[in-house]
C-alpha cells in the first residue's frame, strides 16, 4: 500500500530539479539554498529556546536604608 504523502523517488527528483531550475534560474539557486538553511537554523534555535538574548536580571539598588513600607514606631 502506497502512502498518500510518500516522498518522491529516483526520476521524480530529477523532474523536480529541472522545474526548479527553469522557474528560478541557475544563478538564484545558491542564494535560495543559503536562505533556506538560515531559515531552518533560526527555526531550530527558536524551537530549542536558544535565544541570543538573555532576560535582564532585576537587581535591587544597594542602600543601607530599608525598603519603604509600614513601620511600627512606638
Amino acid at each position: 500500500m502506497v502512502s498518500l504523502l510518500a516522498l518522491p523517488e529516483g526520476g521524480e527528483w530529477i523532474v523536480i530539479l529541472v522545474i526548479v531550475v527553469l522557474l528560478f534560474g541557475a544563478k538564484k539557486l545558491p542564494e535560495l539554498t543559503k536562505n533556506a538553511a538560515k531559515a531552518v537554523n533560526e527555526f531550530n534555535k527558536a524551537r530549542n529556546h536558544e535565544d541570543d538574548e538573555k532576560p535582564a536580571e532585576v537587581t535591587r539598588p544597594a542602600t543601607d536604608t530599608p525598603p519603604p513600607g509600614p513601620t511600627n514606631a512606638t
Side-chain angles (χ1 to χ4, degrees):
M1 181 175 204
V2 177
S3 175
L4 293 176
L5 297 175
L7 291 174
E9 298 176 5
E12 295 171 351
W13 281 112
I14 295 172
V15 172
I16 291 171
L17 182 62
V18 168
I19 292 171
V20 168
V21 169
L22 289 175
L23 286 175
F24 297 106
K27 293 182 180 180
K28 288 284 187 180
L29 286 180
E31 183 181 336
L32 290 173
T33 55
K34 185 189 331 181
N35 289 338
K38 284 182 183 179
V40 169
N41 287 336
E42 289 295 322
F43 176 77
N44 287 333
K45 282 182 184 179
R47 187 179 68 186
N48 295 332
H49 302 291
E50 294 177 5
D51 296 331
D52 291 337
E53 299 177 11
K54 304 268 186 216
E57 292 184 19
V58 178
T59 58
R60 183 178 293 175
T63 59
D64 294 334
T65 59
T71 58
N72 292 336
T74 52

